[in-house]
Each structure stands twice: as structure tokens, then as C-alpha cells.
Amino acid sequence: MIEQTPSHLLPIIEKIETFYTSEVEPREHQLRHRLRNSLEYIDRTGKLHPEIQAARREIMQASGMEGLFSLHLPQSIGGGGLSRTEMFFIEEKVYSYGIDLAPGILSWTDGSTPRLIFVREELQDQFVRPLILGQKTSCHAVTEPDAGSNLFDMKTNAVQKGDKWILNGHKAYITNPFEADIVNVLAITDPGIGKKSFSYFQFESKDYLGKGFKHGRINRTMFDDGLTGELHFENLELPESAMIGNRGQGFEIALTSINWTRTRRGGMCSAWSKLLIDKTLDRLKHRKVAGKPLGRNQGLQWMVSDMYIDWYSARATSLACLRDIEKFGPWWDTNRPQEQIRLFALMKIVNDESFYRVADKALQLHGATGIMKDTVVNKLFQIARNLRIPGGTDESQRNTIAETLGLNANMQ
Ligand SMILES: Cc1cc2nc3c(=O)[nH]c(=O)nc-3n(C[C@H](O)[C@H](O)[C@H](O)COP(=O)(O)OP(=O)(O)OC[C@H]3O[C@@H](n4cnc5c(N)ncnc54)[C@H](O)[C@@H]3O)c2cc1C
């Protein structure tokens, strides 16, 4: 018997069910034609269609009002105070509703990421509360056209001039750059001192748009998310207070948010893999080829068995990883032991690769219907392929695992 949701979380699960039925499902019905048709999912410029954008934001806000949106953050800053292990079950529930609007019930990269834990007390009302409540959105700008896997290639820099920081640079492949009310940027403040070279900044888009800060082009993704693009900073003058945490702490703060997205793979990939397994089973039982159910073929039965093995193994590994990660203390602590760093990487790679294998088989077993753009199977396949790049690629996770085991490229 697979591990069930712990009983103390059931009231929250019920609340999510009620919320989905009352707030999300009606909007999904209303926007069904847009959600199911990729050509209508984005507008003519390639950005997420304004109607979908508006519905997402309404859901985020309503979820914030219900206290669901930021369950993952500590209560000290207004979050729900749930552990990562507890959040696994919450995330698994939310993602079991699929890929339409339900994911907006919980914060993602464009919402209340754990960097908020490091925002100064006096700035909480401006930068923390509205994000925890889902009233504003944000973006987390780290990657650049020439700096992805290796952040030490970063060129974006901030130079202190009196009581101001002057920011220059260009960020690419950023989630939610155009709609973000609050922009977060990782920049180099002290070159040449390793991880301490970086600091993390935040500002309100409305205060600086056209004044040293501008949106760049959209990056059209293969899964038409309509949410990925570029940002430019040209002598952007920010106050000293724009720095999150301390000077030199930026790398570790950014990594806290990135590690959170890695652990978030657990419930998300489990729910979506299970959804694909159920859909595939249904097809193999009901699709007739030469007058007989497709599922009579042992070769295809074994493919489904492999999907189930992948789902079950990744789920069990996720729960084990999350419990081990939390043994070291608060998961957001920037003082990370090597073993914990390894577990964050392990969690991401196990989920991303197993979910991809599941999605690939589901698509194959759906035949031509799996290739059609506007099906859940096709959309999840594209998302599964994407997941192996952002938040650190498969190869980066393997590098991290090897490094924490004492292997590196400079060994003698
Ligand atoms: C949809 C989407 C959303 C994203 N959202 C954000 C966001 O919100 N914020 C943000 O900052 N970034 C975001 N990114 C960027 C993402 O984090 C980077 O794409 C990722 O870190 C990889 O960097 P890169 O694309 O430059 O690949 P590269 O660094 O150019 O790597 C290319 C390939 O080489 C491999 N490789 C590189 N170095 C090594 C090595 N040393 N050993 C072995 N293999 C190596 C990589 O694994 C990869 O397969 C997003 C990307 C996508 C696709």
C-alpha cells in the first residue's frame, strides 16, 4: 500500500477540494476552449493570453485569501508553516487536478518563493505580504544569454555609488518577466571571490520600468507557456535597501529558491505521472485494434508496468529524500551540509527523469492522439521534457552529486 496523506493534513486536503470545485473548476470550464487549444493559449505576441493570465491571478489571490497559496513558507513571515514532506502531499493533491488552472492554487517561481525569508523586517509589507497572499507576482532573474549552468559566467553586475546600487545586465529565459510586480535579480557585486561574489536584489517593476529597467523579448518555449522572456538593466539606480539579505549572500539565497523548486518536483511529478498512468490504462483497456483491446499485448503491458515502477520508485525516493533533507534543520538554511545538497539534486533528477520516461511512454501508447498538440498527454510530455532544463539540468544535478561525493574536474 502506498504511503497515504497523513491524517493531520486531511482538513487542508478537504479545503483544497472545496476550493478547486468552487474557484478553479468553473474558471476552467469557462476557458476550456483556450486551455485546450494551444493557439488560443497564447496571444499574437506569444505571451500568455490575457484571459488566462487574469484567471490565474484571480485563483492565486483567492487561494491567498484562503491561506493555501503559501503553505510552504514559515509562519513567522505569514506562511502556513508546513514542512517539505507535508507539502509533498499538498502538492500531489493540487497537481492531481492536471495542468490547466489548478497549479495556480500554490505558489510557483512567479509567486512567494523562499527568498522572502531573507527580506528585511521593515520591507515585509511591501515585498512579502502581497506575494504570500498571491496579490502580486514576481520573477527570479538569474540566467543570462551566456550564463546558465555555470553562474560564474554571469555578467550582470551591481556597483555601489554612494547610497545607491547601479545595476547593469541582461537576463534571459526568465519565468514571468513581463507581468512580475516584483523583480528579483542576482548580480555580481564583488567579482572574483567565488560564491560570495553575488548579491540578490528586489524592486517593484512599476517604480523602475523605463527608468533603467526594461522588458526584453519573449522566449517562445516549445510548450507555449507564454511566460518566459528577457529583462535588461541599464544603469538602473536602486536604493541600498533593494538588497535581499546581506552583500555576498545572493548565491545562497537564490539557491534556496532553486532548491525549493527541486523539492517541489516530488508531489508534482508524482501526481502528473499517476494521471498519465491512469489515462494510459484507460486507453489500453478501451482502444480496440483488430477488434481486441490494445492492452492484450504483453509488450504494451510491460510498458505500463515500467511507468508504474517509475512512478512508485520516484514517489518513495521523494518522501525519503524530503525526510532526510529536513533532518538537517530548516530546509531554507543557507548553511547546507554536502549530504543535504546532494539530496536536493537527487530529488530533482530522480523525478524529472522518471516523469519524462512515464510521459514518453504515455505518448507512445496514445498513438496519434498523443502527438496532437491540444491533449493533456501531449502537454505533459512537453512539460516533462522541459523540466529537465530549468532549476539545473540533469547534468548539473549529476555534477552536484559527484562533487558532494568528493569528485571534481581539478582532482590530481
Ligand atoms: C521554461 C524555462 C523557464 C526558466 N525559468 C527561469 C527563471 O525563472 N529564472 C532563471 O534564472 N532561469 C530560468 N531558466 C533558465 C534555466 O535555469 C537554464 O536554462 C538552465 O540553468 C541551463 O542553462 P543554459 O540553458 O544556459 O544551458 P547551458 O549552461 O548552455 O548548458 C547546455 C547543456 O550543457 C550541459 N552542461 C553545461 N555545463 C556542463 C558541465 N560542466 N558538465 C556537464 N554538462 C554540462 C547542460 O546540462 C546542458 O545540457 C528557465 C529555463 C526554461 C527553459
Side-chain angles (χ1 to χ4, degrees):
M1 170 104 143
I2 64 157
E3 185 170 341
Q4 302 291 315
T5 304
S7 56
H8 73 279
L9 294 176
L10 293 180
I12 303 178
I13 296 286
E14 274 171 35
K15 200 169 173 181
I16 290 170
E17 281 170 1
T18 310
F19 184 82
Y20 177 74
T21 318
S22 61
E23 297 288 338
V24 184
E25 216 175 13
R27 287 182 171 86
E28 287 182 340
H29 281 308
Q30 204 185 335
L31 288 173
R32 183 63 67 202
H33 63 293
R34 289 208 189 288
L35 293 165
R36 283 281 162 268
N37 181 346
S38 55
L39 291 176
E40 294 190 23
Y41 192 81
I42 49 177
D43 68 13
R44 270 182 303 155
T45 65
K47 291 182 187 161
L48 189 61
H49 194 283
E51 280 187 48
I52 298 181
Q53 186 73 265
R56 277 184 83 238
R57 287 190 81 148
E58 281 166 24
I59 288 164
M60 289 161 80
Q61 281 177 32
S63 175
M65 289 295 285
E66 287 294 320
L68 294 172
F69 190 66
S70 299
L71 287 166
H72 62 291
L73 288 176
Q75 287 174 330
S76 56
I77 59 163
L82 294 191
S83 69
R84 289 308 307 145
T85 311
E86 290 171 317
M87 281 306 294
F88 172 92
F89 297 99
I90 304 297
E91 285 154 6
E92 193 177 48
K93 175 70 187 173
V94 166
Y95 286 97
S96 73
Y97 291 117
I99 42 168
D100 290 344
L101 295 173
I105 299 173
L106 296 177
S107 169
W108 182 238
T109 315
D110 58 345
S112 51
T113 70
R115 69 172 191 283
L116 299 182
I117 297 167
F118 302 90
V119 173
R120 283 176 240 285
E121 182 74 41
E122 62 273 21
L123 296 175
Q124 300 260 322
D125 283 349
Q126 185 182 2
F127 289 103
V128 178
R129 282 302 291 158
L131 282 162
I132 294 230
L133 290 171
Q135 293 166 345
K136 290 190 175 173
T137 67
S138 66
C139 66
H140 161 82
V142 174
T143 306
E144 300 181 0
D146 296 320
S149 302
N150 182 13
L151 293 187
F152 296 100
D153 292 333
M154 189 176 289
K155 294 196 184 68
T156 299
N157 63 84
V159 177
Q160 197 163 26
K161 209 169 163 191
D163 59 357
K164 300 260 187 258
W165 283 102
I166 314 297
L167 195 71
N168 280 287
H170 174 192
K171 298 289 183 181
Y173 313 115
I174 308 304
T175 303
N176 196 40
F178 312 123
E179 292 290 321
D181 304 292
I182 294 169
V183 178
N184 298 274
V185 190
L186 189 66
I188 294 178
T189 45
D190 300 276
I193 53 168
K195 292 179 182 173
K196 293 210 181 309
S197 303
F198 303 87
S199 299
Y200 203 43
F201 296 88
Q202 68 184 359
F203 60 89
E204 286 204 70
S205 171
K206 68 174 168 49
D207 295 340
Y208 296 95
L209 201 56
K211 300 173 201 161
F213 165 55
K214 67 176 184 197
H215 296 152
R217 65 189 182 114
I218 183 138
N219 300 133
R220 295 282 301 270
T221 62
M222 68 177 184
F223 58 110
D224 277 339
D225 65 324
L227 272 181
T228 310
E230 305 194 356
L231 296 173
H232 296 269
F233 314 102
E234 284 166 23
N235 293 321
L236 170 65
E237 282 191 23
L238 295 174
E240 268 181 322
S241 62
M243 186 181 283
I244 303 182
N246 300 320
R247 183 169 180 162
Q249 210 190 354
F251 187 94
E252 298 300 346
I253 294 175
L255 212 58
T256 300
S257 285
I258 293 169
N259 281 337
W260 168 70
T261 64
R262 291 173 180 167
T263 59
R264 251 175 137 293
R265 295 294 207 268
M268 181 174 83
C269 292
S270 169
W272 283 344
S273 293
K274 189 66 180 36
L275 198 153
L276 288 173
I277 290 170
D278 291 345
K279 277 197 166 298
T280 305
L281 278 174
D282 188 58
R283 180 167 168 87
L284 291 193
K285 285 174 188 165
H286 298 108
R287 168 79 172 164
K288 298 266 177 32
V289 173
K292 306 222 168 82
L294 208 49
R296 282 168 60 110
N297 286 288
Q298 192 184 43
L300 307 190
Q301 291 170 10
W302 285 11
M303 283 169 75
V304 179
S305 301
D306 284 342
M307 289 164 75
Y308 192 89
I309 292 166
D310 262 326
W311 166 69
Y312 191 97
S313 317
R315 190 178 192 272
T317 304
S318 294
L319 285 164
C321 265
L322 291 168
R323 289 188 176 113
D324 284 346
I325 283 169
E326 289 177 326
K327 281 185 191 148
F328 296 99
W331 57 270
W332 59 81
D333 197 331
T334 55
N335 222 346
R336 301 176 191 95
Q338 294 292 294
E339 197 182 336
Q340 194 192 37
I341 294 170
R342 190 184 316 139
L343 289 166
F344 282 120
L346 182 72
M347 176 101 202
K348 181 173 192 287
I349 198 161
V350 165
N351 277 290
D352 286 356
E353 292 191 347
S354 64
F355 175 45
Y356 178 72
R357 286 191 296 268
V358 168
D360 187 35
K361 290 190 181 73
L363 187 143
Q364 187 68 15
L365 292 173
H366 275 76
T369 61
I371 297 295
M372 297 305 115
K373 262 196 115 163
D374 303 322
T375 59
V376 173
V377 172
N378 187 275
K379 189 90 179 176
L380 281 176
F381 171 77
Q382 291 182 44
I383 289 176
R385 187 63 193 83
N386 166 66
L387 286 179
R388 294 172 54 193
I389 304 288
T393 62
D394 294 354
E395 294 75 23
S396 296
Q397 306 315 307
R398 285 193 167 80
N399 283 346
T400 300
I401 292 170
E403 275 164 25
T404 62
L405 291 170
L407 303 175
N408 64 66
N410 303 319
M411 291 170 70
Q412 299 293 332

